[in-house]
Amino acid sequence: MMDESYQVRAQLDDGAVSRYADAMRSGQEFPPISIARVGGAVVIVDGFHRVTAARKIRRETITAVLVERDEAELQWLAAEANLKHGVPLKRGEGRKLLTAYVRAGRHRNGTRRVKSSRDIAKDLHGLASHSIILRWMKADFPEVARRMTERRVKNTGVGDDGIPRVDLEEKRQGAALVAIDHLIAHSRGIIDPERRGIVLAKLRAALEEVEGAGEWEPMAATAADDGF
């Protein structure tokens, strides 16, 4: 069965069908088509042009390979086959290709981390630019687009609009580290034990407050942390 949900093309290429039909009449061998069982029905995953050409010359049989995947993966398998061989896809068919790509979970890097729009454009063999990929994502998969934008800001500090983003938390961290450096420098000049004790008491109270303010991860001390 030729289920259109497994076809990313807007329509079949009549010229390709005629070429395939002529080649089949002359005895040329073609790669097997791919089929799958979905809900009890046998559907074509890859080979729409070949099957149409075989029907055109009234050929009753065609070699096929049975694949077993879930439905979302089958849709991407069909789309990916069109990228790798056969009749080249048209740029206007890229959006449907992206839909199959996302539904099959290919927009993630193995885990839940979302790929960049540039990486996705490469996966789709440049059928659409990274800016068009992001625009389609915003329209069709807004949550994925949001994660892509967040990832870009985190990695580059630049938003999708090209405007640098200010990381306030990073600024506060920097200010805190500078203050600690000043503390160490000034404390080395305090010789009186009582005065050093006052500074240490204040420092310990501050340390307890910072540790209790939220979760934190132990970090290795740097060479500058050799203390008073």
Side-chain angles (χ1 to χ4, degrees):
M1 179 175 70
M2 297 177 69
D3 187 336
E4 292 300 322
S5 64
Y6 297 98
Q7 176 61 270
V8 297
R9 301 181 188 279
Q11 60 185 22
L12 294 182
D13 186 318
D14 292 337
V17 171
S18 295
R19 290 194 301 273
Y20 288 4
D22 291 341
M24 288 177 181
R25 284 194 193 97
S26 66
Q28 182 176 329
E29 294 292 330
F30 281 76
I33 67 169
S34 298
I35 60 175
R37 293 186 183 278
V38 178
V42 176
V43 298
I44 298 170
V45 177
D46 173 37
F48 280 64
H49 284 94
R50 280 164 282 171
V51 169
T52 305
R55 288 176 175 174
K56 185 174 183 177
I57 63 173
R58 302 186 185 280
R59 179 174 290 184
E60 296 182 355
T61 61
I62 190 168
T63 305
V65 174
L66 180 67
V67 294
E68 296 182 1
R69 307 283 176 82
D70 61 41
E71 189 167 357
E73 188 68 20
L74 284 174
Q75 289 179 338
W76 169 243
L77 194 66
E80 188 179 36
N82 287 302
L83 279 174
K84 293 182 175 179
H85 61 76
V87 180
L89 289 170
K90 298 176 182 177
R91 296 188 71 84
E93 294 164 337
R95 190 166 184 171
K96 194 171 181 181
L97 182 71
L98 178 65
T99 297
Y101 178 89
V102 174
R103 286 178 176 168
R106 297 303 179 97
H107 63 295
R108 295 190 295 268
N109 273 319
T111 59
R112 295 183 63 83
R113 184 180 179 187
V114 178
K115 295 179 182 177
S116 70
S117 57
R118 293 184 186 275
D119 288 338
I120 293 174
K122 289 178 183 177
D123 286 349
L124 301 185
H125 295 212
L127 200 64
S129 67
H130 74 93
S131 58
I132 291 176
I133 294 290
L134 190 56
R135 186 166 72 240
W136 287 343
M137 281 290 195
K138 288 179 178 178
D140 301 338
F141 301 97
E143 179 60 23
V144 175
R146 182 185 66 79
R147 293 183 183 180
M148 289 170 66
T149 303
E150 286 179 352
R151 178 179 181 273
R152 183 181 179 195
V153 171
K154 182 177 180 180
N155 291 345
T156 67
V158 178
D160 180 52
D161 53 8
I163 301 175
R165 297 294 190 257
V166 177
D167 189 334
L168 293 179
E169 189 171 352
E170 184 177 11
K171 287 186 65 177
R172 288 167 184 155
Q173 178 192 16
L177 293 176
V178 169
I180 292 172
D181 287 341
H182 288 167
L183 169 66
I184 293 172
H186 287 298
S187 296
R188 285 173 177 158
I190 301 174
I191 299 174
D192 182 270
E194 184 177 350
R195 288 174 176 169
R196 287 173 65 87
I198 292 172
V199 173
L200 282 168
K202 185 72 173 178
L203 181 59
R204 289 192 180 102
L207 181 61
E208 289 179 1
E209 185 173 343
V210 172
E211 287 180 337
E215 295 182 1
W216 56 280
E217 296 181 7
M219 304 293 289
T222 64
D225 296 334
D226 47 8
F228 292 85

